[in-house]
Amino acid sequence: MAAVPNPKIEPPLPGESLQTLRSAVADFDYEQLLWSSGYLAGLARASVAGPLPVAQPAAEAGSDQWVVFYATETGNSRRIAESVAERAGEAGIAAQLQDLREYRPKSLSKVTNALFVVATHGIGDPPDGTEAFFEYWLGDRAPRLEQLNYSILALGDSSYADFCATGQVLDERFRALGARPVVERVECDLDFETPASGWTSSVVEHAAKNAAPQPAQVRAPHLRAVSSRSQYTRENPFLAELVVNQPITGPGSGKDVRHIELDLEGSGLSYLPGDSLGVVPQNPPEVVHSLLDALQLDGASKVTVGGEQLSLAAALSAHREVTVISRPLLEKLAAKHGELQQVLSDRERLTDFFGTRQVIDLFGDYPIDWDAQELVDSLRRLTPRLYSIASSPDANPDEAHLTVAVVQYEQFGRQHWGSASSFLAGGASQVPVFVESNDRFRLPEDGSAPIIMIGAGTGVAPYRAFVEHRREHGHKGDNWLIFGDRNFTSDFLYQLEWLRYRKDGTLTRMDVAFSRDQKEKIYVQHRMKEYGRRLFDWLERGAHLYVCGDAKRMANDTHEALLAVIEDHGGMSREEAIQYVADLKANRRYQRDVY
Amino acid sequence: MSKNALSPVEHIKKRSNYLRGTIVESLADPLTGALAEDDTQLTKFHGFYQQDDRDLRAERTRRKLEPAYSFMIRVRVPGGITTPAQWLALDSLATTHANGTLRLTTRQAFQFHGVTKGNVKATIRRINDSLLSTIAACGDVNRNVMCTPLAETSAVHEAACKVAGELSEHLAPKTRSYHEIWMDGEKVAGTPDHEPIYGETYLPRKFKIALAIPPSNDVDVMAHDLSFIAIEKGGELQGFNVAVGGGMGMTHGEPDTYPRVADIIGFCTVEQVIPVAEHVVGVQRDHGDRTNRKHARLKYTIDDRGIDWFRGALFERLGFELAVPSPFEFRSRGDVFGWANDRRGLWNLTLFVPEGRIQDNGESRLMTALRELAPMHQGDFRLTANQNVIVSGIPDGERESVDRLFREHGVSLLQSLSPLRQQAIACVALPTCGLAMAEAERYLPEFTDKVEELLARHGLLNESISLRITGCPNGCARPYLAEIALVGKAPGRYNLFLGGDAEGLRLNRLARENIDEVAILATLDNLFGRFVRERSSGETFGDFAHRAYFPEALAS
Ligand code: SRM
Ligand SMILES: Cc1cc2nc3c(=O)[nH]c(=O)nc-3n(C[C@H](O)[C@H](O)[C@H](O)COP(=O)(O)OP(=O)(O)OC[C@H]3O[C@@H](n4cnc5c(N)ncnc54)[C@H](O)[C@@H]3O)c2cc1C
Ligand SMILES: Cc1cc2nc3c(=O)[nH]c(=O)nc-3n(C[C@H](O)[C@H](O)[C@H](O)COP(=O)(O)O)c2cc1C
Ligand code: SF4
């Protein structure tokens, strides 16, 4: 394949068809043309039978060519990479986008200029699907990379102990292999816009300095679903009406899970099963009040946020993270309260700290005397939360359903609330939303392919969309759901619907694991093993396997169970099983969405 | 449905292979707390009903959860007698596997409520381990045979109770499926199962037998498909008057359904009891209406064809005719509370069980008291037809300590209860009974308070008046034989029936339809006032209400 795709592509359409197409779009304005391009791209995707063709390895880029790699799970890295490529193109630099999931690891040996935008997921792990790349380059047999000029933008969330771990280890490794960092690594927290844009400027500037001018080139980003073609985005969310807010756990449950329905009419937002909905929350007033109390500040005092004057209360409720603790905040407090240093330096304690405590616990236990502005400056920007969409767009036009576990708990003698979940459950009538498309979690193109869906708790949400979608389209493929939660009586999310789907044959099979209904804990991974024979048979029949839900434990446990099942029932060694799973992944037959 | 089409339950029975159906598979289905629909019919024969907590039903549906299914398991208790060990077994099952209470029924049985599907098998096994059973506690078969629980009252009682036990045994279903499913009994390959008396589709409907020993009509002898009234001569049991075609159930708005008191069709000797019962069952099996379950009880079989036809059919099968009935007299019904001596010289303590439920309720810890009594108790525990319990067989020397035990647990030994409250009974109804239209058990204490207030105001508090409440017209508390009855129509609304007699032989009548508490109390208030003013000497309230409210009934 040529290093640079020919900009003057010969249309693969016979003259007449091309004519038809031209006249059909003759009157379209800019927006409409853009939309149509996405629409046609969507059609193209839908017409590809079987798994998507794996993209060709990125060009063995010439010395002035830059490859912009990204490793993403929730799309941030991809979006940044796209804008890097665009700005490079504008600066006259040949830049090519490359998803690391679809890249043959070895090919990097032939690349001279590379930019990496990489997120960290799981507990300090690379994004799902990119493991092969990292295993290869972090492994003992990785070749030297003397030819490589690179820079890394690391995405992360400083409320995790292993902040930006993926970017860090990659950077270290590349250095060790002899590659040259041309711009120092930049680490971003969830409010990544500013640092990301700074890094982009630096790398583009560097590339421009060292490059002979070239015609602008941006390789078209990977075909994407139509969903991104609404005027409403993360930056400009759609104000959706919340029409249903229904508790779906039983009265005796230890959890409060809500079925939420949002009206998307008029938004032009569209989505596919597997996508998530981004929700831009307003913080719970209780939390804002308790922070004001703890710091003895007046909510009416004026503060400046992003150049705008507003009241402290308003800033805290709409612009700042007031629940989740970030690392900079912790560090800032540690400067005054030495005992927090110990937390910061102990990974276990840090993880536990982030997992159980919220901002109010910090201010309650480690008092400070900040003024309003300092408080606002010390808190991270409020970031949208993602929720798996639990409905099929075709069965519910103009609606999106969510399954939301309400975060509310008492600990350390204080009441705690989650920001977005409380916002959704607490009576919000209008919710700013956007669609976060997720091509890593898709139904098979082939409606007759069997699928196995494994989910715990709210992890069942996308499967409601999957099953509804397949039923709506009359897809005949077998559907097997393995669901887990705490108690049968109170936590069997959407039980009535599953029973109905089983009765009408849409669900071929369903197994459940209720961990607290008996003395020994039983989880979904136990059911996977219990029905291992069948699981393996289904995989051999071409089944696609999905895992959704808790990242902390379930993701690992189900992965281990899968390997064990393949070993036991496929008569394979550990290595062979690992390869089997790798092949499943490569063929997009093993997809995970864990959070 | 065409007139002659068999009712769906008949098909279910027929294809069930002697009550097996898919019960085993249903129990194993982890996705639902319910059984497959057909199996819900079959499990009745095995002694349990699928129910759901009706207080929660609507809310759970909104939450996309199935109803809170659980099971009511009825224990078959021959003669209503349990040993202390059995009592303890049931008591412990109630806490570990059910809702923590034991329901005493109007047919001298126990019921567990709130047993989840996962616990059904273990519960039934443990009931059987304690040498009790659940088979045929419900279903289209003969049920628990009722008889006065105090056999030791006289030689006649003893002989009659023996007959009751034999009847119960003789008419029990013989299918091996019960043992197979619940006790993991072996499946005997090749040999087909069979039911010598019932056949593979069993009876068209439930079938009930009771034995009464005059002068006490504690079992409401006229309310059953088949009943035997003991006839005594010189302290010896001579035989029984045979009565057929009693029944309580009816349906609102369906005049073709009605309660009916039994017809006495003759007299049989003690030896003839079993053949008589078997052939009454046989006539009903072959002629009962299998197309319409609301019209399938023996009372309709008889009314459709006439009592003479029935006698003829029965006598033909028997090969002999029943003798002319002997005279008898009932003078009471209901339970006599407190201590009574029997012919063993032992003592029996009849306890008032509020609303028929053994439980700890605030100060009154009846369940705990009985649990603590059981290990020391040499005798047994007996259930009455009015949802009460008798601690039976206490030696003279232990009366005091038994008294003390109950006192310490706050269990009232009756000094303070009005005759109205002592006799009042209610069926289970909400929240477990799937057929209930209004409250009964949960409403009884409160309603009784209010009626007591009225009675007190009219100076009638010591008057013996029977009050019964059911949550629907099926009549599980035999309301149509009460002097005052409330039959549920809708939440908070009842049909008011008045005018049964004190002995439980005459049906009451519908006085006011679909009224709320205010109207019920106003009606009673008015009637109590008239009763005080207009009663003739010695006249009971039931008799007065009968003549005052339904003058036309007297005319005819
Ligand atoms: C527990 C008990 C009432 C009580 O509070 O004591 C009872 C409770 C129920 N009865 Fe009954 N019946 C009970 C004695 C009676 C009686 C009284 C009697 O037998 O002396 C009657 C009236 C006599 C008769 O049969 O005519 C009675 C007539 C009914 C009927 C109407 C039958 C009919 O043919 O008219 C039904 C409904 C049905 O069978 O379709 C019924 C149905 C029921 C069910 C099983 C409801 C159902 O079918 O889903 C009730 C369960 C409620 C619960 O949650 O426990 N029950 N039922 C009694 C259990 C007796 C036993 O140990 O076997
Ligand atoms: C791709 C994706 C899909 C998702 N899909 C869903 C979904 O379908 N349904 C769903 O409910 N969520 C889903 N989530 C999670 C969701 O985005 C939010 O993280 C979650 O709802 C909590 O957000 P919040 O604003 O309510 O709480 P926050 O304000 O973010 O507060 C959470 C903080 O509370 C503290 N905390 C203590 N105990 C707990 C506890 N038991 N649970 C949570 N926090 C605790 C922790 O410090 C935690 O950081 C998804 C996440 C991702 C990334
Ligand atoms: C389930 C989950 C686990 C995460 N774990 C980490 C982590 O261990 N360390 C970290 O720095 N960031 C972590 N993050 C934060 C992401 O790196 C951050 O949200 C980033 O912006 C995502 O980029 P992406 O959209 O390109 O995937 C995690 C995010 C999720 C949803
Ligand atoms: S009378 Fe009606 S409400 Fe009461 S237990 Fe019987 S069936 Fe249920």
Side-chain angles (χ1 to χ4, degrees), chain B residues 24-174:
Chain B
V24 172
E25 291 80 355
S26 273
L27 290 174
D29 180 356
L31 262 55
T32 168
L35 306 168
E37 217 167 296
D38 284 7
D39 292 330
T40 61
Q41 294 299 330
L42 299 173
T43 59
K44 297 179 185 179
F45 293 79
H46 296 261
F48 65 103
Y49 272 75
Q50 179 172 310
Q51 303 186 318
D52 72 277
D53 188 333
R54 294 183 55 192
D55 291 349
L56 303 178
R57 192 187 284 174
E59 181 56 26
R60 286 186 61 92
T61 307
R62 268 197 294 282
R63 293 183 185 215
K64 303 180 192 291
L65 296 167
E66 70 176 12
Y69 288 113
S70 67
F71 295 85
M72 177 273 273
I73 301 184
R74 193 177 282 162
V75 187
R76 187 181 172 90
V77 192
I81 302 179
T82 50
T83 65
Q86 286 168 336
W87 184 278
L88 287 170
L90 298 177
D91 174 275
S92 115
L93 274 175
T95 17
T96 56
H97 288 60
N99 70 352
T101 72
L102 273 173
R103 184 63 160 63
L104 308 186
T105 76
T106 52
R107 294 192 72 79
Q108 301 175 274
F110 292 97
Q111 282 183 184
F112 295 105
H113 285 111
V115 183
T116 56
K117 193 168 81 172
N119 277 333
V120 165
K121 183 161 177 177
T123 308
I124 293 182
R125 273 185 95 118
R126 282 181 52 186
I127 291 168
N128 279 272
D129 287 347
S130 78
L131 303 181
L132 292 167
S133 176
T134 63
I135 193 167
C138 334
D140 298 340
V141 284
N142 176 52
R143 308 287 189 84
N144 209 25
V145 176
M146 292 173 70
C147 183
T148 184
L150 274 183
E152 293 78 4
T153 309
S154 73
V156 175
H157 282 76
E158 235 157 83
C161 288
K162 188 160 157 278
V163 171
E166 288 165 8
L167 263 177
S168 187
E169 191 52 37
H170 187 76
L171 294 175
K174 303 291 185 279

Side-chain angles (χ1 to χ4, degrees), chain A residues 314-335:
Chain A
L316 292 180
S317 66
H319 299 277
R320 285 295 177 263
E321 220 30 276
V322 296
T323 50
V324 180
I325 298 173
S326 72
R327 179 185 293 256
L329 178 65
L330 198 56
E331 281 166 350
K332 203 162 169 199
L333 280 160

